[in-house]
Amino acid sequence: MTMGERVRPDGTCTSALRFGTDHPLSVITAGSGYWRYVPVAGGIRFLTGYDYKPRYASADLLFRPLRGWATAWSFDRLRLRLERGITPRRALRNALFDVLSRLAVVALTASLGPLWTAALTALAVIVLPPAATTPAARRCLRRPPDRLARKAPSTLDSLELS
């Protein structure tokens, strides 16, 4: 595993990481990622990117979207900690309460009415955003919004897998 950091005169900070393993239980054989903090008016813009080589292509069909969702969800949980002071434990409780409440509403609707009302309720439960205090992967941009965000740092190119 190798890591590099760079701090620019404009205050932008970047960390890059390259990793790999030959262990047969690992889904990932090699990968790299970066974190970039960019000062903007009113705060810090946080950008991250990563990629990896899967050990099994078939497992990657499920693993890659799940990994992307989990990464976005965890960064929104971090945002709640930094912006609102909500601890990770509390954010997890909020998320579990949100999911269980939504499931209960759908189950109740399904047990009391016709199937079409349960289907409409399920659609509403999926579309309605979670509370502002609940972490949600949908709040994180999953596609780079501009040229700066699309380009991985040059620091990453100079890192070798040790």
Side-chain angles (χ1 to χ4, degrees):
M1 181 182 313
T2 58
M3 195 161 147
E5 288 189 272
R6 183 179 2 181
V7 179
R8 293 188 172 160
D10 68 355
T12 300
C13 300
T14 303
S15 296
L17 170 73
R18 188 170 300 279
F19 58 91
T21 182
D22 291 331
H23 197 284
L25 293 179
S26 175
V27 179
I28 297 172
T29 58
S32 61
Y34 68 91
W35 301 264
R36 183 180 288 140
Y37 305 88
V38 182
V40 295
I44 300 284
R45 181 177 180 198
F46 175 73
L47 306 168
T48 187
Y50 64 89
D51 199 12
Y52 58 86
K53 293 178 186 164
R55 184 170 307 282
Y56 311 106
S58 58
D60 197 44
L61 294 174
L62 175 65
F63 186 71
R64 191 171 290 270
L66 186 58
R67 166 77 82 196
W69 177 88
T71 300
W73 188 87
S74 67
F75 280 124
D76 197 50
R77 193 165 107 165
L78 175 62
R79 180 192 61 80
L80 289 173
R81 173 69 180 227
L82 297 173
E83 291 180 359
R84 295 176 175 251
I86 297 171
T87 65
R89 177 176 283 161
R90 184 70 198 158
L92 180 58
R93 283 188 198 139
N94 292 350
L96 290 173
F97 179 76
D98 184 75
V99 168
L100 293 175
S101 299
R102 289 168 187 259
L103 289 174
V105 167
V106 172
L108 184 63
T109 305
S111 68
L112 296 176
L115 185 58
W116 67 269
T117 58
L120 284 176
T121 303
L123 181 62
V125 159
I126 291 168
V127 172
L128 288 174
T133 57
T134 301
R138 65 174 91 176
R139 288 192 187 106
C140 297
L141 296 178
R142 303 290 295 279
R143 300 276 185 257
D146 57 35
R147 234 176 81 171
L148 173 65
R150 275 193 295 274
K151 186 170 175 2
S154 58
T155 308
L156 198 52
D157 297 334
S158 64
L159 296 179
E160 294 180 19
L161 192 57
S162 52

